[in-house]
Amino acid sequence: MKSQIVFTLFVGLAILAQVSHALKEEDCEVCVKTIRKFAESLTDATKKDYKLIENEFKKFCKTQKNKEQRLCYYLGGLEESATGILNEMSKPLSWSMPAEKVCEKLKKKDSQICDLRYEKQIDLNAVDLKKLKVRDLKKILNDWDETCDGCIEKTDFIKRIEELKPKYVRSEL
């Protein structure tokens, strides 16, 4: 009886762990959006054969740029790709697995797949600089080709951005 309770508790915790670790689109945004876009471009006949999916993905990758091209490189969709895990993407797609689940499987094979992120555009007229991370503050300065000599604290970066804001940010009237 006691072992049955322990077993039931263990199974419940395992299910709870699976639910809490489900990959969300924002956790792996480049992969999910790219795989979804690619899957939507496939014909019904192509979707059933993983080898045809792989061939189509290689064609798809030839037209990709930036982050999507980097994802293609990681999966082996480009000629210059060092490794290839295309079958980890093509077989699940042939089973009609959703893009989030495909990317979750790919992440287990190569964690850098979900490290790819789209650049966030920051509206400096609307954003509260105090709520941004230092990394984002540095990126703003870097995008402006400006430095912040002697900046150590977050407030130093905010002060520098506020000084430069009139030069780089157009305020709408």
Side-chain angles (χ1 to χ4, degrees):
M1 179 72 173
K2 189 176 182 180
S3 63
Q4 197 173 20
I5 293 171
V6 170
F7 178 74
T8 305
L9 183 63
F10 179 74
V11 170
L13 287 173
I15 290 170
L16 185 63
Q18 286 290 80
V19 171
S20 65
H21 288 300
L23 190 72
K24 297 178 199 78
E25 183 172 340
E26 59 269 11
D27 296 336
C28 199
E29 62 184 341
V30 174
C31 179
V32 172
K33 287 180 180 171
T34 305
I35 297 296
R36 187 178 292 142
K37 179 180 165 186
F38 169 68
E40 289 169 356
S41 74
L42 297 173
T43 64
D44 288 337
T46 306
K47 286 180 184 176
K48 291 176 175 54
D49 184 349
Y50 78 94
K51 284 292 185 190
L52 290 175
I53 292 172
E54 288 178 13
N55 291 336
E56 287 301 313
F57 188 72
K58 288 178 181 177
K59 290 179 196 171
F60 173 82
C61 286
K62 289 179 182 176
T63 63
Q64 299 308 301
K65 302 211 179 324
N66 304 323
K67 305 288 182 178
E68 294 83 1
Q69 185 180 42
R70 176 60 49 192
L71 177 72
C72 287
Y73 176 80
Y74 291 157
L75 296 182
L78 299 174
E79 287 181 28
E80 63 269 13
S81 294
T83 60
I85 54 172
L86 274 181
N87 65 338
E88 297 292 332
M89 180 266 311
S90 62
K91 286 182 181 178
L93 279 181
S94 71
W95 309 325
S96 301
M97 188 178 281
E100 292 84 359
K101 289 291 184 186
V102 173
C103 290
E104 193 174 316
K105 289 176 79 62
L106 291 170
K107 182 181 179 183
K108 290 177 184 171
K109 292 289 181 185
D110 186 352
S111 64
Q112 61 186 340
I113 285 170
C114 286
D115 290 341
L116 292 170
R117 300 264 190 254
Y118 290 115
E119 298 290 325
K120 305 276 187 274
Q121 293 301 320
I122 299 169
D123 180 5
L124 288 168
N125 289 322
V127 74
D128 180 0
L129 294 175
K130 293 176 190 143
K131 292 185 179 179
L132 293 179
K133 294 180 178 181
V134 173
R135 173 185 64 210
D136 296 325
L137 298 172
K138 287 180 178 180
K139 184 186 178 318
I140 292 167
L141 291 170
N142 189 43
D143 289 348
W144 291 344
D145 289 326
E146 295 285 350
T147 60
C148 191
D149 296 326
C151 290
I152 299 171
E153 301 285 325
K154 183 176 182 175
T155 54
D156 299 332
F157 290 100
I158 293 171
K159 184 178 175 186
R160 180 72 172 140
I161 290 170
E162 292 294 348
E163 288 171 4
L164 295 167
K165 218 173 176 180
K167 182 177 174 184
Y168 293 100
V169 179
R170 306 265 185 259
S171 57
E172 301 297 317
L173 295 176

